[in-house]
Amino acid sequence: MAKKEVPLQQLAEYLPDHTFEAVVAYLNFYKVHLTIAKSRKSVLGDYRHSINTQHHRISVNGNLNKYAFLITLLHELAHLVTFEKYGNRVQAHGKEWKTLYGQILAQFIEKKIFPADIENELLATLHNPGASTCAEESLQRILYRYDTRKEGYSLVEAIPEGQFFRLKDGRIFQKGKKRTKRYSCVEISTNKTYLFSPVYEVQHVKISQ
């Protein structure tokens, strides 16, 4: 997936107001090589620890809204700080990472830069954050409110049962019932069943039967 390094001053365009200085302080202190990636559905950001003389490397999807971008960046920074402190001796999303991520996140919550609904959700999960923003469906649902609206697009959970939706690759599915946490949906061309997260964005389409 294509990535591009962004000059630090340009980074401010991706961040909420009044967060640039604090973010840059972290990046400079830990000598982070930050790149902006194109949209990746399976991952919002990633971290690669330094090897020999190489810098720590973090990438974040550039299509995220400013609040999602910041939260994802802080998530990856927490991985960096965890590695600096514990190396490879702890689990990637174990208690050590959760503690450090919570501490970093709390510093930004205190700045009152998040809208009330995002702040309340972050506070609710502060002591036991999920392994990824994608995995935290409640937070993802709230962050989606701040995305630029695209006509005809919505989350899977908003598509009525029995209706159809299209993915970016052109495949069309019919939405079925919810199975515990995910929706059972049938691909029209193959009749195969797939499970979709409620907060996966799709394009609603109308098909005459």
Side-chain angles (χ1 to χ4, degrees), residues 162-178:
Q163 292 295 304
F164 301 87
F165 61 85
R166 179 186 290 114
L167 303 187
K168 287 185 177 181
D169 62 11
R171 290 186 295 163
I172 296 177
F173 293 79
Q174 184 175 31
K175 181 182 174 181
K177 295 184 179 299
K178 191 173 185 180

Side-chain angles (χ1 to χ4, degrees), residues 171-201:
R171 290 186 295 163
I172 296 177
F173 293 79
Q174 184 175 31
K175 181 182 174 181
K177 295 184 179 299
K178 191 173 185 180
R179 295 183 181 178
T180 310
K181 293 183 177 181
R182 296 177 179 269
Y183 286 96
S184 175
C185 304
V186 176
E187 184 180 5
I188 300 305
S189 63
T190 64
N191 206 37
K192 292 182 178 179
T193 299
Y194 294 82
L195 296 178
F196 282 84
S197 164
V199 293
Y200 192 85
E201 186 183 54

Side-chain angles (χ1 to χ4, degrees), residues 4 59 85 156 177 181 196 201 206:
K4 62 177 180 178
S59 71
K85 189 171 183 178
V156 168
K177 295 184 179 299
K181 293 183 177 181
F196 282 84
E201 186 183 54
K206 293 183 179 180

Side-chain angles (χ1 to χ4, degrees), residues 39-97:
S39 174
R40 298 171 291 184
K41 279 293 185 181
S42 60
V43 62
L44 303 184
D46 59 35
Y47 162 68
R48 297 289 182 269
H49 63 75
S50 59
I51 301 175
N52 299 326
T53 58
Q54 291 186 3
H55 290 177
H56 295 281
R57 305 178 72 87
I58 288 176
S59 71
V60 180
N61 290 5
N63 66 322
L64 302 177
N65 68 57
K66 293 185 176 184
Y67 303 114
F69 186 96
L70 175 61
I71 292 169
T72 301
L73 177 55
L74 298 183
H75 175 114
E76 303 306 333
L77 279 170
H79 280 302
L80 186 160
V81 178
T82 303
F83 179 81
E84 286 277 297
K85 189 171 183 178
Y86 299 101
N88 290 318
R89 302 188 304 274
V90 298
Q91 294 180 349
H93 295 103
K95 62 180 181 180
E96 295 83 4
W97 173 82

